[in-house]
Amino acid sequence: MTDYDIIVVGAGHAGCEAALAAARMGVKTLILTLNADHIALMPCNPSIGGPAKGHIVREIDALGGEMAKNIDKSYINIRMLNTSKGPAVHALRAQADKHKYQYEMTKVLQEQENLDLKQTIVTDLVIEDNIVKGVKTITGVTYAAKKVILTTGTSLDGRVIIGDVKYTGGRQGEFAAIDLAKSLKEVGINLERFQTATPPRIDKSTIEPKKMTLHPSSEEPLKFSFFREYEGRETRPCWLTYTGEKTREVMVENIEHSPLSTGIVEGSGPRYCPSIDRKIMRFPDKLTHQVFVEPEGLYTNELYLNGLTTSMPEEIQLKVVRSVPGLENAEIMRPGYAVEYEYIPPYQLKPTMENKVIAGLYTAGQLNGTSGYEEAAAQGLMAGINAVLNLKGEEPLILKRSDSYIGVLIDDLVTKGTNEPYRMLTSRAEYRLILRQDNADLRLTPIGYKLGLISEENYNKVEAKRRAIKENLAKLNEITVTPTKEVRELLEELGSGGLKKAVSLATILERPEVSYKDLKRFSPEAPEVDEEVGEQLEIETKYRGYISRQLKQVDKFKYMEEKKIPQDIDYHQLTNLRKEAREKLDNIRPISIGQASRISGVSPADISVLMIYLEEMQRGGEE
Amino acid sequence: MTDYDIIVVGAGHAGCEAALAAARMGVKTLILTLNADHIALMPCNPSIGGPAKGHIVREIDALGGEMAKNIDKSYINIRMLNTSKGPAVHALRAQADKHKYQYEMTKVLQEQENLDLKQTIVTDLVIEDNIVKGVKTITGVTYAAKKVILTTGTSLDGRVIIGDVKYTGGRQGEFAAIDLAKSLKEVGINLERFQTATPPRIDKSTIEPKKMTLHPSSEEPLKFSFFREYEGRETRPCWLTYTGEKTREVMVENIEHSPLSTGIVEGSGPRYCPSIDRKIMRFPDKLTHQVFVEPEGLYTNELYLNGLTTSMPEEIQLKVVRSVPGLENAEIMRPGYAVEYEYIPPYQLKPTMENKVIAGLYTAGQLNGTSGYEEAAAQGLMAGINAVLNLKGEEPLILKRSDSYIGVLIDDLVTKGTNEPYRMLTSRAEYRLILRQDNADLRLTPIGYKLGLISEENYNKVEAKRRAIKENLAKLNEITVTPTKEVRELLEELGSGGLKKAVSLATILERPEVSYKDLKRFSPEAPEVDEEVGEQLEIETKYRGYISRQLKQVDKFKYMEEKKIPQDIDYHQLTNLRKEAREKLDNIRPISIGQASRISGVSPADISVLMIYLEEMQRGGEE
Ligand SMILES: Cc1cc2nc3c(=O)[nH]c(=O)nc-3n(C[C@H](O)[C@H](O)[C@H](O)COP(=O)(O)OP(=O)(O)OC[C@H]3O[C@@H](n4cnc5c(N)ncnc54)[C@H](O)[C@@H]3O)c2cc1C
Ligand SMILES: Cc1cc2nc3c(=O)[nH]c(=O)nc-3n(C[C@H](O)[C@H](O)[C@H](O)COP(=O)(O)OP(=O)(O)OC[C@H]3O[C@@H](n4cnc5c(N)ncnc54)[C@H](O)[C@@H]3O)c2cc1C
């Protein structure tokens, strides 16, 4: 069989990005997947984005990934969340036509040069002297490759759980990867067990929309990708309803049937996407929980019950669903279920996503202990990029926590590991006023361009935007507004306070009540700009103080990040370090003092010891 | 859980028709399937129709089934085959957009009143005193029902085979039904093993179309359904190429690796859709075999290799594919494979599709030992109809061999059984000049209407057509054409022989060279008719002789079919019958002398004995 530079195993969200990145960077790539009809399948909510996740999607886009474009082609409901809050937490969220999302991604994969797509079951890695050499499939075929990227999601030794029933399966209707799990353990990779669950899907013709609150799609021309024009779209509404006393009663009465009570579930589940079982167990007195009733596509009656995740026995699921206003007569089309699976605790990875034990083996996605399509896609993209860079003998791409949510994600994983399915949250980012969803292009497109993942044209567009922001900000600072009667009246009209002395247009724009489009009224010289540029000018002026403070913190942070630690250091010889720190450092092998300082169990005192040692080493080296 | 009148297990081609028919006939119906994303999946060629199969599709349509409408909504290439031959074998064949076919059917199911759709794995039948009471699912849920229709295709104890590898699976990427197979055996249903296989799918971007013959879609406004308007359509071409010496060499060299040689395959395979392995084994000297390269959809690069079915090891599949002109550089996206499965030898069924041992249990589709989507759909429709009729205490619907291909299909199955996957062929029908694809509406719509499956409007349309044919035929017989100079010149122009004496317009139309639209030129009185009516008038006149001969045969046949045999007859007491005949008759329990006479092992002498006995019985009854 043909040899490849890179083989990607799995065509979920991680696998698609990994394979596309590799092929687009010009290396011969193969993607293998269980079922070629299930590419980019969304086994849980067919929704992309939301707080922090939406940020990741835009970052993927800025780096040249596919997820943003794909959801733009296939969404049927889109909204900007948190618009009443600051720009750091504004977040785009879209509901996809689940099938269209799959097809559009399938089409992109199929049409990608340098990329072959094949349906098969991978059972083994081919490894020689701890270096990956390829993969073996269930039919005995071996494909050779220089790098292998595993993105098999929840399939490793997967088991589906509903009520007290548990059967082998990677997710509903897909095979589990039993042999592959064995093969990983054999080469010394440590696997642990997690669990995740999905709510029942119900039949649209059996709900009563009038009892719920309508959430139509936004009428704004919203989109995720910086690089695709907005297209009109047929949309579908969501509905909001709430659990109440009745739901609580049903749940409390039946809680002993929950797989979480019976102990049939072994792995830990996601804290930030808890099942209704867990919600009731944790807060037995809380009556109301939101339930978003969301469409799965244009051509299907299936509705997703966001908020009612459960793996209770089916009869009880039906009772729970019917206890919610608007769903009293609902019919379940697919019951909710949990899936329990093995993951690779991510302390076993380098920040490049390469495995520490097996050279050339990269892993990405749910397999690394995360949860969520966006988190998976981001890792896939980074694994794909780094596998190619390594192949070409180039410097790896390691995004910093101050660059991007993707940087935060990977740093968290490899530095702290995770003992529950890891999900991105805005609160995980220290510099979230800088890591906004609206400026991901400004932050990351130059990197994507350098990698060859962003076209010259798109790169130029972003750079033009950057220049426009800079030049127009300078203009706004130069143009003066004097407190004439007209100006004062205008401010009053906008509901803003008085003006005593002449100020710059920028200072006017700082006021929360004044938006960019008002500026023309204050001064005819106010520059005409694109909407996107105007948005940046508003944010940069209105949040000037916060942003500059955060930038200073970033400088300090960068200083620590740039203190590199050699990878061949023998921590056991650093007897001045506490034993726990020695072990943790040896295990994680941080690449910088910054990373070392975030390892739990490594104290500031340990960091000082380490820094002194590094300085001595360096001086020794210089002598 | 809710109780149902009818539960259909499986949403393949049989299951969809069964469930729709039942729900449309007004009973509360539930359809259960392994994966709600795989409804009406075409695991083999995404094509509907062809000789005999196309006839079945039109018959399904005339009875009020869905297949014809669904392929009309989703085809991407359509042609009328055999147009150079007589009208009995004209056959419509279309290539579907595989995914669109699924969605359109999914939508129809979802929107059907009285029909619930749920995703689950059925593991057991609930049976009391040999009467079916419902089904049990893997999660322990029981759904009660008055009738159960099983349509689980190839999933019973299914195993996927590629080369020397064999693993459990209902078909590529789907679970096998192991428990359900066990449950059937336990209640005394006999299962046997069959096998079927599918060719590899290749990547369109790797073929060389110039080396092959282009087969574009027809430009005529073709469609399957009598009851849906033609819509314009984006189409895709097919290509024709041939195997040659190189293919033969590869095959002969590697034939020992074929699962058919190694003996890894246990079941018998389809004779009329043989794998390339079998073709080479049977005709080792035949060099050229057709290979149609066919698209799987508008949005996919996958191409189906019609003619290259094989379950050889993957490396060899690649060699075989690449030995064919136009495919020298082809990349395989999914390897071909065989699936081996248990089926219910259909002598265990009544002509209503009800099981003889378990009352209320109906089976349909591949599960009954057939092969092909159309054969499955037809059985599903008939099982659905008969389950409802039985539920309502009405007479069953048993189509005769002289009514329809569907009648032939079911009579063959229940009377003769089958020891290889049964496929419909025009040669199986005795009265094929009557059972044309163009007159399925005239033959069957009144039945569909009586069942409530055809709307008043559509029924009236067909009856209007029938009247138009009759009236205009009468007119054509009345209108006289005299052999004027003009008429003789006209005949010459059309390439038809001379005319000596005055004849009717009908006699003119009998000539093969004269088509309906020419008649106006022979006589201004020639009636203006619809194209469909014109077609019938042509066929009825041109084939008048053959048709009336066949109608006479049908009369004789009907006489025998109408001699009913009571179902409680004790054949073992009929000591005048030969032992073999007694056993066969007892086993099959034919409903008529006609059916009895078709049982293999029952001789004309046995039939005489049986007829005498029946007459005596009747006389006895009358006394
Ligand atoms: C039941 C369930 C509930 C979930 N609930 C949530 C939730 O509440 N919130 C949330 O954010 N996320 C949830 N998710 C997680 C979300 O679906 C995943 O995080 C995301 O799909 C992970 O993407 P991935 O690319 O890592 O893996 P996947 O999308 O799972 O893709 C894995 C791919 O690997 C392929 N594959 C597997 N084994 C093999 C093999 N041996 N050979 C070849 N190919 C193979 C598969 O066919 C598939 O293409 C849930 C997932 C499931 C299954
Ligand atoms: C590999 C392969 C090759 C084939 N080759 C040919 C060919 O060359 N020529 C040809 O004419 N035909 C071929 N066929 C056959 C054709 O696909 C079938 O005849 C047709 O699909 C049968 O329709 P069906 O409705 O009987 O079954 P299917 O279409 O198989 O549908 C069965 C349904 O039952 C469901 N199901 C199964 N078990 C359970 C369960 N326990 N609980 C709930 N639901 C269940 C499945 O999910 C599915 O929806 C091939 C099929 C396969 C798999």
Side-chain angles (χ1 to χ4, degrees):
Chain A
M1 292 284 171
T2 329
D3 290 356
Y4 290 88
D5 291 319
I6 292 185
I7 291 177
V8 178
V9 183
H13 308 281
C16 290
E17 295 290 353
L20 288 172
R24 287 168 179 170
M25 287 173 77
V27 309
K28 200 165 161 52
T29 308
L30 170 66
I31 183 165
L32 298 173
T33 192
L34 287 185
N35 191 329
D37 293 333
H38 293 182
I39 290 168
L41 178 77
M42 298 181 171
C44 199
N45 191 350
S47 145
I48 298 276
K53 288 170 173 267
H55 294 64
I56 291 183
V57 178
R58 288 226 156 147
E59 292 179 355
I60 290 171
D61 190 52
L63 287 168
E66 200 61 30
M67 182 171 252
K69 294 194 187 79
N70 211 60
I71 180 67
D72 281 350
K73 291 176 195 166
S74 57
Y75 73 72
I76 54 171
N77 187 300
I78 192 164
R79 282 186 304 146
M80 186 68 83
L81 307 181
N82 296 335
T83 45
S84 63
K85 299 184 190 159
V89 296
H90 289 187
L92 208 50
R93 182 184 186 281
Q95 202 67 25
D97 180 308
K98 175 175 144 183
H99 286 126
K100 191 154 166 50
Y101 192 88
Q102 286 180 244
Y103 293 158
E104 293 292 351
M105 190 61 91
T106 304
K107 207 170 145 189
V108 170
L109 289 188
Q110 287 186 354
E111 290 179 353
Q112 179 59 49
E113 233 182 297
N114 296 324
L115 181 59
D116 287 347
L117 164 64
K118 292 179 199 292
Q119 171 174 303
T120 191
I121 303 179
V122 172
T123 51
D124 278 291
L125 295 175
V126 183
I127 289 171
E128 285 168 24
D129 301 330
N130 283 344
I131 301 172
V132 79
K133 297 288 179 188
V135 302
K136 242 172 130 160
T137 74
I138 194 167
T139 57
V141 175
T142 299
Y143 292 99
K146 297 184 188 119
K147 311 278 169 198
V148 171
I149 305 176
L150 277 189
T151 67
T152 51
T154 55
S155 73
L156 287 188
D157 216 352
R159 256 162 263 172
V160 170
I161 301 166
I162 306 186
D164 52 3
V165 180
K166 194 167 178 174
Y167 60 91
T168 297
R171 53 193 182 196
Q172 194 71 285
E174 229 177 58
F175 294 128
I178 314 274
D179 296 328
L180 188 57
K182 226 183 285 164
S183 149
L184 291 176
K185 281 183 200 155
E186 274 167 16
V187 298
I189 294 174
N190 180 20
L191 299 181
E192 284 173 23
R193 221 154 167 78
F194 270 171
Q195 174 261 119
T196 184
T198 191
R201 310 299 194 274
I202 60 167
D203 184 342
K204 192 164 76 188
S205 66
T206 62
I207 68 166
E208 290 163 85
K210 282 194 188 129
K211 296 191 181 167
M212 308 185 278
T213 319
L214 190 74
H215 279 244
S217 186
S218 167
E219 303 206 331
E220 306 274 301
L222 297 176
K223 63 189 181 72
F224 277 93
S225 177
F226 295 105
F227 310 119
R228 254 186 118 252
E229 291 307 307
Y230 171 77
E231 318 163 325
R233 185 61 51 81
E234 195 178 340
T235 64
R236 291 283 181 277
C238 302
W239 294 273
L240 175 60
T241 178
Y242 294 89
T243 64
E245 180 52 33
K246 232 168 132 190
T247 312
R248 210 181 66 92
E249 265 172 28
V250 176
M251 285 301 301
V252 168
E253 202 173 291
N254 291 291
I255 199 71
E256 83 262 27
H257 296 297
S258 167
L260 297 180
S261 310
T262 56
I264 191 171
V265 170
E266 290 162 28
S268 7
R271 178 196 308 243
Y272 299 101
C273 208
S275 61
I276 182 90
D277 313 17
R278 196 179 295 266
K279 285 188 239 176
I280 297 284
M281 285 162 88
R282 266 209 240 137
F283 312 104
D285 298 328
K286 185 158 185 238
L287 274 184
T288 54
H289 296 275
Q290 284 191 331
V291 178
F292 276 100
V293 180
E294 303 173 324
E296 293 230 318
L298 288 181
Y299 293 107
T300 174
N301 274 353
E302 287 192 70
L303 295 175
Y304 179 90
L305 296 181
N306 192 350
L308 280 192
T309 293
T310 179
S311 47
M312 284 272 201
E314 266 177 270
E315 296 94 320
I316 300 166
Q317 292 192 21
L318 190 63
K319 282 189 201 159
V320 172
V321 168
R322 292 188 174 174
S323 73
V324 178
L327 311 181
E328 290 88 343
N329 297 304
E331 281 290 345
I332 291 181
M333 298 180 79
R334 313 194 201 203
Y337 68 96
V339 60
E340 200 185 86
Y341 56 95
E342 309 268 88
Y343 76 101
I344 300 181
Y347 62 80
Q348 300 172 88
L349 306 182
K350 299 182 186 173
T352 56
M353 319 298 293
E354 191 180 16
N355 190 278
K356 288 177 181 166
V357 180
I358 306 298
L361 175 67
Y362 293 72
T363 56
Q366 187 111 357
L367 176 63
N368 285 341
T370 62
S371 147
Y373 312 130
E374 303 83 352
E375 291 86 345
Q379 291 171 66
L381 176 66
M382 295 305 292
I385 290 172
N386 277 312
V388 177
L389 290 175
N390 186 300
L391 201 65
K392 293 185 174 172
E394 293 176 19
E395 279 296 299
L397 176 65
I398 297 168
L399 295 175
K400 284 195 272 299
R401 298 180 77 86
S402 55
D403 291 334
S404 59
Y405 274 87
I406 300 181
V408 174
L409 167 71
I410 296 178
D411 183 61
D412 276 353
L413 290 177
V414 303
T415 310
K416 302 182 188 160
T418 180
N419 44 31
E420 63 190 19
Y422 179 100
R423 176 187 175 158
M424 186 44 73
L425 305 166
T426 44
S427 60
R428 298 196 193 269
E430 296 83 350
Y431 313 111
R432 54 183 169 279
L433 208 52
I434 298 172
L435 307 186
R436 301 186 312 273
Q437 52 99 28
D438 58 73
N439 69 355
D441 52 345
L442 297 166
R443 292 186 275 124
L444 300 172
T445 302
I447 300 176
Y449 174 63
K450 216 182 117 207
L451 293 167
L453 293 173
I454 292 283
S455 69
E456 182 96 32
E457 189 191 341
N458 284 336
Y459 170 68
N460 287 340
K461 247 167 52 187
V462 174
E463 291 312 306
K465 177 173 165 189
R466 193 191 308 281
R467 273 194 309 275
I469 296 165
K470 202 174 156 198
E471 289 165 14
N472 288 303
L473 198 57
K475 281 188 201 156
L476 293 183
N477 278 317
E478 276 161 23
I479 300 165
T480 309
V481 178
T482 43
T484 59
K485 184 164 167 265
E486 270 174 324
V487 162
R488 283 204 307 267
E489 277 173 12
L490 194 51
L491 284 170
E492 201 164 322
E493 181 194 325
L494 294 171
S496 190
L499 185 68
K500 299 255 166 67
K501 50 171 192 170
V503 294
S504 72
L505 212 46
T507 308
I508 295 287
L509 187 55
E510 273 178 21
R511 298 180 173 223
E513 302 82 8
V514 180
S515 74
Y516 195 87
K517 66 179 182 335
D518 298 322
L519 294 188
K520 264 269 175 289
R521 300 171 70 190
F522 287 94
S523 161
E525 289 167 71
E528 294 266 5
V529 299
D530 270 5
E531 206 175 319
E532 280 187 24
V533 173
E535 185 188 8
Q536 292 305 312
L537 291 172
E538 276 199 37
I539 295 172
E540 296 240 351
T541 49
K542 288 196 169 43
Y543 298 87
R544 203 195 302 247
Y546 301 100
I547 291 178
S548 69
R549 224 170 308 148
Q550 210 154 80
L551 284 173
K552 269 187 216 130
Q553 290 164 4
V554 167
D555 278 342
K556 256 198 268 172
F557 161 80
K558 275 206 178 137
Y559 174 79
M560 298 284 275
E561 293 308 291
E562 274 155 19
K563 287 209 168 309
K564 296 289 172 208
I565 306 179
Q567 287 305 289
D568 55 0
I569 208 165
D570 183 356
Y571 289 103
H572 296 295
Q573 291 199 341
L574 301 189
T575 42
N576 285 346
L577 285 174
R578 288 175 314 114
K579 184 152 180 285
E580 185 191 2
R582 278 203 304 265
E583 276 166 9
K584 285 281 172 73
L585 287 165
D586 181 55
N587 200 358
I588 304 288
R589 311 223 130 248
I591 56 169
S592 67
I593 289 290
Q595 191 190 350
S597 69
R598 289 187 296 274
I599 298 173
S600 84
V602 175
S603 69
D606 296 320
I607 292 295
S608 302
V609 171
L610 190 57
M611 281 175 78
I612 291 168
Y613 171 77
L614 288 177
E615 273 162 33
E616 276 172 3
M617 228 179 70
Q618 216 173 354
R619 249 182 282 133
E622 278 165 10
E623 272 161 18
Chain B
M1 291 284 170
T2 329
D3 289 356
Y4 289 89
D5 291 318
I6 291 185
I7 291 177
V8 178
V9 182
H13 307 282
C16 289
E17 295 291 353
L20 288 171
R24 286 167 179 170
M25 287 172 77
V27 309
K28 198 166 163 50
T29 308
L30 171 66
I31 183 164
L32 298 174
T33 192
L34 288 186
N35 190 331
D37 293 333
H38 294 181
I39 289 168
L41 178 78
M42 299 181 171
C44 199
N45 192 351
S47 144
I48 298 277
K53 287 171 174 267
H55 294 64
I56 291 182
V57 178
R58 288 229 155 143
E59 292 179 355
I60 291 172
D61 189 54
L63 287 168
E66 200 60 32
M67 182 171 250
K69 294 193 188 78
N70 211 60
I71 180 68
D72 281 350
K73 292 176 196 167
S74 57
Y75 72 73
I76 55 171
N77 187 299
I78 191 164
R79 282 186 305 147
M80 186 67 85
L81 307 182
N82 296 335
T83 44
S84 63
K85 299 182 189 160
V89 295
H90 289 188
L92 207 49
R93 180 184 188 278
Q95 200 68 23
D97 180 309
K98 176 175 143 185
H99 286 125
K100 192 155 166 51
Y101 192 88
Q102 286 180 245
Y103 295 157
E104 293 292 352
M105 190 61 92
T106 304
K107 205 169 147 191
V108 170
L109 289 189
Q110 287 186 354
E111 291 178 354
Q112 178 60 48
E113 234 182 298
N114 296 323
L115 181 58
D116 287 346
L117 164 63
K118 292 179 198 291
Q119 171 174 304
T120 191
I121 303 178
V122 172
T123 51
D124 278 291
L125 295 175
V126 183
I127 290 171
E128 284 168 24
D129 302 330
N130 283 345
I131 301 172
V132 79
K133 296 290 178 187
V135 302
K136 242 171 128 165
T137 74
I138 193 167
T139 58
V141 175
T142 299
Y143 292 98
K146 296 183 188 123
K147 310 279 170 197
V148 170
I149 305 177
L150 276 188
T151 68
T152 52
T154 55
S155 73
L156 286 188
D157 217 352
R159 255 162 263 174
V160 170
I161 302 166
I162 305 185
D164 51 4
V165 180
K166 194 167 180 174
Y167 60 91
T168 299
R171 53 192 180 197
Q172 194 70 283
E174 230 178 57
F175 295 128
I178 314 275
D179 296 328
L180 187 58
K182 227 184 283 167
S183 150
L184 292 175
K185 281 182 200 156
E186 274 166 18
V187 297
I189 293 174
N190 178 21
L191 298 182
E192 284 175 24
R193 219 151 169 78
F194 269 171
Q195 175 260 121
T196 183
T198 191
R201 311 300 194 272
I202 60 167
D203 183 342
K204 193 164 76 188
S205 67
T206 62
I207 68 165
E208 290 163 87
K210 284 196 185 128
K211 296 191 179 167
M212 308 185 280
T213 318
L214 190 76
H215 279 245
S217 185
S218 167
E219 305 206 333
E220 305 275 299
L222 298 177
K223 64 189 179 73
F224 278 93
S225 176
F226 295 105
F227 309 119
R228 251 186 122 252
E229 290 308 306
Y230 170 76
E231 317 163 326
R233 185 61 50 83
E234 195 179 338
T235 64
R236 291 283 181 275
C238 302
W239 294 274
L240 175 59
T241 177
Y242 293 90
T243 64
E245 179 53 33
K246 232 168 130 189
T247 313
R248 209 182 67 93
E249 266 172 28
V250 175
M251 286 301 300
V252 168
E253 203 172 291
N254 291 291
I255 199 72
E256 83 262 28
H257 297 295
S258 166
L260 297 180
S261 310
T262 57
I264 191 171
V265 170
E266 290 162 29
S268 8
R271 179 197 306 243
Y272 299 102
C273 209
S275 61
I276 182 91
D277 313 16
R278 195 179 297 266
K279 285 187 238 175
I280 297 283
M281 284 160 91
R282 264 208 242 136
F283 311 105
D285 298 327
K286 186 159 183 233
L287 273 185
T288 56
H289 296 276
Q290 283 190 332
V291 178
F292 276 99
V293 180
E294 302 174 325
E296 294 228 320
L298 289 182
Y299 294 107
T300 174
N301 273 353
E302 286 192 71
L303 295 174
Y304 179 91
L305 295 182
N306 191 349
L308 281 193
T309 293
T310 179
S311 47
M312 283 273 201
E314 267 176 88
E315 296 94 320
I316 300 167
Q317 291 192 22
L318 191 63
K319 282 189 200 160
V320 172
V321 169
R322 291 189 174 174
S323 73
V324 177
L327 311 181
E328 292 87 344
N329 297 304
E331 281 290 345
I332 292 181
M333 297 181 78
R334 312 193 202 204
Y337 68 96
V339 61
E340 200 185 88
Y341 55 96
E342 309 269 87
Y343 75 102
I344 299 180
Y347 62 82
Q348 299 172 89
L349 307 182
K350 299 182 185 173
T352 56
M353 318 299 293
E354 191 180 15
N355 190 278
K356 288 176 181 166
V357 181
I358 306 298
L361 175 67
Y362 294 73
T363 56
Q366 187 111 356
L367 176 65
N368 284 342
T370 62
S371 147
Y373 313 129
E374 303 82 353
E375 291 86 345
Q379 291 171 67
L381 177 67
M382 295 306 291
I385 290 171
N386 277 312
V388 177
L389 291 175
N390 187 300
L391 200 65
K392 294 185 173 171
E394 292 176 18
E395 279 296 297
L397 175 65
I398 296 168
L399 295 176
K400 285 196 271 297
R401 299 181 75 87
S402 55
D403 290 335
S404 60
Y405 274 87
I406 300 180
V408 174
L409 167 71
I410 295 177
D411 182 63
D412 276 353
L413 290 178
V414 303
T415 310
K416 302 182 188 160
T418 180
N419 44 32
E420 63 190 18
Y422 179 100
R423 176 189 174 155
M424 185 45 75
L425 305 165
T426 44
S427 61
R428 300 198 193 267
E430 297 82 351
Y431 312 113
R432 54 182 169 279
L433 209 49
I434 298 172
L435 307 186
R436 302 186 312 273
Q437 52 98 28
D438 58 74
N439 69 354
D441 52 345
L442 297 166
R443 291 186 275 124
L444 300 173
T445 301
I447 299 176
Y449 174 64
K450 216 181 120 212
L451 293 167
L453 293 173
I454 291 282
S455 69
E456 183 95 33
E457 188 193 339
N458 285 336
Y459 170 68
N460 287 341
K461 246 164 58 184
V462 174
E463 291 312 305
K465 177 173 164 187
R466 192 190 310 282
R467 275 194 309 276
I469 296 165
K470 202 175 158 196
E471 288 164 15
N472 288 305
L473 198 58
K475 280 188 200 156
L476 293 181
N477 278 317
E478 276 161 23
I479 301 166
T480 308
V481 178
T482 44
T484 60
K485 185 165 167 264
E486 268 174 328
V487 163
R488 282 206 308 269
E489 276 172 12
L490 194 50
L491 283 170
E492 202 164 323
E493 182 196 324
L494 295 171
S496 190
L499 185 70
K500 300 256 164 65
K501 51 175 187 164
V503 294
S504 72
L505 212 44
T507 309
I508 294 288
L509 187 55
E510 273 178 22
R511 297 179 175 223
E513 301 82 7
V514 180
S515 74
Y516 194 88
K517 65 180 186 330
D518 299 321
L519 293 189
K520 264 267 175 287
R521 300 172 69 190
F522 287 94
S523 161
E525 289 167 72
E528 295 267 2
V529 299
D530 271 4
E531 206 174 319
E532 280 187 23
V533 174
E535 184 188 9
Q536 293 305 312
L537 291 171
E538 274 198 36
I539 295 172
E540 296 240 350
T541 49
K542 288 195 170 43
Y543 298 88
R544 203 195 303 248
Y546 301 99
I547 291 176
S548 69
R549 225 171 306 147
Q550 211 154 77
L551 285 172
K552 271 189 213 127
Q553 289 164 6
V554 168
D555 278 343
K556 255 198 267 171
F557 161 81
K558 277 207 178 132
Y559 174 79
M560 298 285 275
E561 294 309 292
E562 274 153 21
K563 286 206 171 308
K564 296 289 171 208
I565 308 179
Q567 287 304 288
D568 55 1
I569 206 166
D570 182 357
Y571 288 103
H572 296 295
Q573 291 199 342
L574 301 189
T575 41
N576 284 347
L577 284 174
R578 289 173 316 113
K579 184 153 177 285
E580 184 189 1
R582 277 204 303 266
E583 277 167 7
K584 285 281 171 72
L585 286 165
D586 180 55
N587 199 358
I588 304 289
R589 308 226 135 248
I591 56 170
S592 67
I593 289 291
Q595 190 190 354
S597 70
R598 288 188 297 274
I599 298 173
S600 85
V602 176
S603 70
D606 296 320
I607 292 295
S608 303
V609 172
L610 190 57
M611 282 176 78
I612 292 166
Y613 171 79
L614 288 177
E615 273 162 32
E616 276 173 2
M617 229 178 69
Q618 214 172 356
R619 249 181 283 133
E622 276 163 11
E623 270 159 21

